[in-house]
Amino acid sequence: MFIHLGGDVMVQSKDVIAIFDLKMKYSSDSTKEFLNVADEEGFVVMIDESESKSFVVTTKKVYYSPISSLTLKKRAGFVSELE
């Protein structure tokens, strides 16, 4: 199954590692460092440049999504109930 992250971006639910609120980006040095390294290495995808509410860590990329983490988690939960 797939999870719609916003825009034209969909990822397979099995590839999603974590879904975070964007406020978590500044919560710890480890998170900041992880996101900085992912960006430097070219693994970050900005779905909507003007507004991001969450970020989704997958096995291959980190997506900044305009959809709230709560909504994405509900979508992911709905998918897991189907599988």
Side-chain angles (χ1 to χ4, degrees), residues 11-41:
V11 296
Q12 287 191 321
S13 59
K14 68 178 184 162
D15 292 339
V16 174
I17 296 170
I19 299 170
F20 297 100
D21 188 273
L22 193 59
K23 294 173 189 170
M24 293 297 294
K25 178 179 181 178
Y26 307 105
S27 68
S28 74
D29 291 336
S30 299
T31 304
K32 284 187 251 183
E33 182 180 352
F34 169 77
L35 292 172
N36 286 336
V37 169
D39 190 29
E40 290 169 4
E41 297 290 327

Side-chain angles (χ1 to χ4, degrees), residues 1 3 5-6 21-22 24 26 30 32-34 38 42 56 60 62 65 68-71 83:
M1 299 296 286
I3 300 172
L5 301 181
D21 188 273
L22 193 59
M24 293 297 294
Y26 307 105
S30 299
K32 284 187 251 183
E33 182 180 352
F34 169 77
V56 180
K60 297 178 181 167
V62 176
S65 174
S68 75
S69 59
L70 183 60
T71 300
E83 294 178 326

